[in-house]
Amino acid sequence: MAEYDYDLFVIGAGSGGVRASRMAAAHGARVGICEESRVGGTCVIRGCIPKKLLVYASHFAHDFEDAAEYGWSVGRTDHAWTKLIANKDREIDRLNGIYIHLLNNAGVELLEGRGVLEDAHTVRVGDRTVTAETILIGVGGWPTLPDIPGIEHAITSNEALHLEELPRRMVVVGGGYIAVEFAGIFNGLGVDVIELYRGEQILRGFDDDVRAALAQEIRKTGIDLRVECDIAEIVKKGHHLELVLKDDTVIETDAVLYATGRAPNTKGLGLDTVGVEMNAKGAVVVDEYSRSSVPNIYAVGDVTDRVNLTPVAIKEGAAFADTVFGNTPTKPDHSGIPSAVFSQPSVATVGYTEAEARAEYGEVDIYKSSFKPLKHTLTGRDERTMMKMIVEPKSDRVIGCHMVGADAAEIIQGVAIAMKVGATKAQFDSTVGIHPSAAEEFVTMREKFVEPDGD
Ligand code: NDP
């Protein structure tokens, strides 16, 4: 047997790569990992964590307004963007340090630099060349921008987290997770935000009631959401930008943030030379055990474009380590994955949308609730919470739960456990609610929703 430098070499120290390398080391493997940017990857360095800190920052604006009718005189409020960014960066540095410690403590050797495959067992990292029996690709994804004139004046979520100053006006392009989250962040921080989405309704792929409810709620918060709009050209005019839309409308703004999707980070990685199969989007094609078309090369996380979420990458990384080094073949379970959008208000969802459920099961029972949250009976804020449940009538199993409203992620996480173990509507109903809460709606929805007769 050939003698390699490592049993496992991981390219990319993000959520999936770090989990896989630590677990493989715990199983006794000699492990190396390389990272071209900062250890922690998208989630820790330029994604979930800094984004959520900014969501908290932004939300205070609503809280200050809401406080008045509870008797508080908040007085004049000011926001110091540079202070927020400095504090956020300090926390990201701390987390980056923790990740490096975790690797060190696990005995994983960290190499700084971009890893490029030279052959199926050899990786070049800067001027070093290392060999490994097994290679794991965990390089994640990167924002994509459409090829239109002036696109070099646009920023992505990466730059949005490091702006030197807050612009007065911003246009956010896109209608997915990142677009609605960043539109909410900047709107809360006092920026005049226009969100442009090319389709009819934001959050494609989510339940239609969720999409409609969120669009309505974010408009109420002051975001100027415009649908069926697309930019043809961006023109820099002195200190501002002119966005020329396809219908020739011109919008003047100070910054334009594109959140138009992400692509697997596989360019220049040497995967094609080694013969690793990739799909049209450049994602590594893997089997149920995260194994690529080259038997000793595996891939986990966003680079495989399966379900692009941090906790999923972590589970894929763990399953890979158990399979290859733990003597326990494990397929990552991609069923019943809950997810949230940290828009304001937030969205969280698990299971089938109504449309998916009808396509799969034919008839389904729908339960819906839309209400003014108790908190806002005093504040006067015109915000509604929407909750929806989808039940498969033959088995009575709850197969979809969706929510738009405060704390949606915190609520849906628990619901997802119930659904994972196959809870029925009757079991939801027999559960005692926590009163007063929004969450209790999920155990008190009695009336099936009946579509009003059309005319
Ligand atoms: P999404 O794919 O979710 O959304 C991209 C949006 O941009 C869509 O609305 C899409 O429109 C639009 N778009 C795509 N191309 C163009 C174009 N050329 N011109 C104009 N509009 C365009 O990507 P995101 O960037 O929002 O997020 C990437 C991934 O990151 C997601 O898949 C998600 O899994 C993950 N993520 C998860 C988060 C969470 O869990 N909270 C937070 C952030 C990201 P259309 O609908 O018409 O295709």
Side-chain angles (χ1 to χ4, degrees):
M1 205 177 94
E3 190 48 45
Y4 298 111
D5 298 333
Y6 302 101
D7 299 316
L8 170 66
F9 194 78
V10 182
I11 305 180
S15 302
V18 167
R19 177 56 58 96
S21 59
R22 289 172 57 208
M23 283 189 58
H27 286 309
R30 296 169 303 140
V31 185
I33 190 167
C34 69
E35 171 58 52
E36 68 171 329
S37 167
R38 299 181 72 194
V39 172
T42 301
C43 175
V44 174
I45 306 297
R46 64 190 81 80
C48 325
I49 302 296
K51 178 271 311 284
K52 189 131 186 224
L53 293 174
L54 263 55
V55 171
Y56 284 131
S58 159
H59 207 274
F60 281 101
H62 308 292
D63 300 336
F64 294 143
E65 282 171 17
D66 292 345
E69 292 304 321
Y70 280 96
W72 291 98
S73 306
V74 174
R76 203 180 105 102
T77 57
D78 266 322
H79 186 261
W81 169 257
T82 45
K83 180 171 184 177
L84 167 64
I85 295 304
N87 286 348
K88 179 264 295 175
D89 286 344
R90 208 182 47 234
E91 175 57 11
I92 301 310
D93 289 347
R94 191 183 72 84
L95 293 174
N96 170 243
I98 288 177
Y99 267 68
I100 293 172
H101 268 296
L102 288 172
L103 289 173
N104 286 340
N105 290 347
V108 176
E109 191 185 353
L110 173 63
L111 277 65
E112 283 174 25
R114 182 173 170 75
V116 178
L117 283 163
E118 297 212 315
D119 64 42
H121 292 280
T122 309
V123 181
R124 185 164 38 78
V125 185
D127 48 17
R128 224 176 125 177
T129 301
V130 295
T131 58
E133 173 145 27
T134 303
I135 288 172
L136 178 70
I137 313 290
V139 294
W142 200 250
T144 53
L145 294 162
D147 185 16
I148 57 162
I151 195 68
E152 66 277 9
H153 303 303
I155 59 168
T156 69
S157 55
N158 292 347
E159 294 77 38
L161 297 167
H162 294 282
L163 290 175
E164 278 178 18
E165 55 185 36
L166 212 49
R168 189 170 64 78
R169 302 163 297 182
M170 177 182 278
V171 170
V172 177
V173 185
Y177 283 81
I178 298 181
V180 292
E181 291 180 339
F182 277 84
I185 287 169
F186 286 108
N187 177 58
L189 293 175
V191 178
D192 284 338
V193 176
I194 299 175
E195 180 177 348
L196 300 180
Y197 175 53
R198 65 181 179 182
E200 270 174 34
Q201 185 59 284
I202 54 168
L203 289 188
R204 188 161 60 81
F206 283 70
D207 186 272
D208 285 342
D209 284 319
V210 167
R211 301 170 72 186
L214 186 71
Q216 177 179 305
E217 294 305 320
I218 67 173
R219 284 187 171 119
K220 286 189 211 161
T221 66
I223 294 171
D224 178 0
L225 170 63
R226 304 184 194 176
V227 296
E228 298 183 306
C229 275
D230 212 355
I231 299 176
E233 185 180 1
I234 303 170
V235 184
K236 186 150 175 65
K237 289 265 166 91
H239 289 299
H240 66 261
L241 300 171
E242 274 184 11
L243 312 179
V244 185
L245 304 197
K246 287 189 174 157
D247 66 1
D248 292 330
T249 316
V250 175
I251 299 175
E252 193 185 291
T253 188
D254 302 311
V256 58
L257 189 165
Y258 269 76
T260 46
R262 298 172 62 86
N265 223 345
T266 46
K267 263 207 201 103
L269 212 61
L271 291 169
D272 32 8
T273 25
V274 175
V276 171
E277 186 189 343
M278 288 180 279
N279 69 15
K281 285 178 74 181
V284 176
V285 177
V286 289
D287 70 9
E288 289 170 304
Y289 295 97
S290 302
R291 186 180 218 159
S292 80
S293 57
V294 176
N296 74 307
I297 299 181
Y298 292 72
V300 295
D302 289 7
V303 74
T304 63
D305 198 25
R306 286 178 280 183
V307 181
N308 299 332
L309 298 170
T310 285
V312 177
I314 291 172
K315 288 233 181 271
E316 289 169 359
F320 154 80
D322 284 341
T323 301
V324 180
F325 298 100
N327 221 2
T328 316
T330 309
K331 297 177 188 173
D333 179 2
H334 288 116
S335 67
I337 295 171
S339 75
V341 186
F342 294 100
S343 46
Q344 299 177 47
S346 54
V347 172
T349 173
V350 56
Y352 288 88
T353 66
E354 180 175 343
E356 287 166 352
R358 288 195 189 287
E360 175 85 20
Y361 295 99
E363 275 305 290
V364 286
D365 292 337
I366 305 295
Y367 297 82
K368 284 189 206 183
S369 177
S370 168
F371 56 94
K372 192 186 194 62
L374 177 62
K375 179 180 177 185
H376 296 310
T377 55
L378 291 204
T379 66
R381 181 179 290 281
D382 178 21
E383 180 181 308
R384 293 188 75 76
T385 292
M386 195 284 289
M387 291 160 92
K388 178 170 179 179
M389 182 183 274
I390 298 157
V391 178
E392 197 280 298
K394 284 201 197 81
S395 62
D396 195 39
R397 277 183 59 181
V398 176
I399 57 170
C401 283
H402 309 272
M403 175 171 176
V404 179
D407 303 319
E410 310 294 340
I411 292 169
I412 289 290
Q413 181 69 83
V415 171
I417 302 171
M419 283 174 53
K420 189 84 186 165
V421 297
T424 60
K425 177 71 167 67
Q427 288 168 323
F428 269 69
D429 293 347
S430 71
T431 304
V432 175
I434 295 177
H435 186 72
S437 70
E440 69 181 318
E441 280 296 308
F442 276 123
V443 295
T444 53
M445 291 203 242
R446 298 282 179 263
E447 297 290 318
K448 279 182 209 166
F449 176 77
V450 184
E451 203 66 56
D453 281 340
D455 47 354

